[in-house]
Amino acid sequence: AAEAVALAAMGQLYAVDSLLDAMVFLPSQPGFGDANIQLVNVALELRAHGHMEAAARAFARSMEGYRALPPDQ
């Protein structure tokens, strides 16, 4: 997650997309949360640096992940 945030800050969007694809399969990490939270953090970083379309894609991936969770989570 930290690497994806750093790449987002540097505008390396292709590398960010590649990491986002892999992040959805990662287990929760202490201090970072689950993959959906990490996707939101990357999306916020992308948005902060003016990469609105990439941010929207990251937010959408996060929402897909939340929708896939069982109702009790």
Side-chain angles (χ1 to χ4, degrees):
E3 182 179 357
V5 169
L7 291 168
M10 294 185 296
Q12 296 185 13
L13 304 183
Y14 182 77
V16 171
D17 278 340
S18 294
L19 283 177
L20 295 183
D21 290 340
M23 283 173 56
V24 297
F25 298 106
L26 294 176
S28 292
Q29 298 177 1
F32 291 99
D34 66 21
N36 296 319
I37 292 171
Q38 294 176 39
L39 286 167
V40 170
N41 289 335
V42 173
L44 291 170
E45 191 69 26
L46 287 163
R47 188 174 67 179
H49 290 280
H51 305 292
M52 300 307 178
E53 289 181 24
R57 288 192 306 270
F59 279 124
R61 288 180 185 186
S62 175
M63 291 306 299
E64 289 170 13
Y66 282 119
R67 286 187 193 106
L69 290 174
D72 63 340
Q73 290 187 1

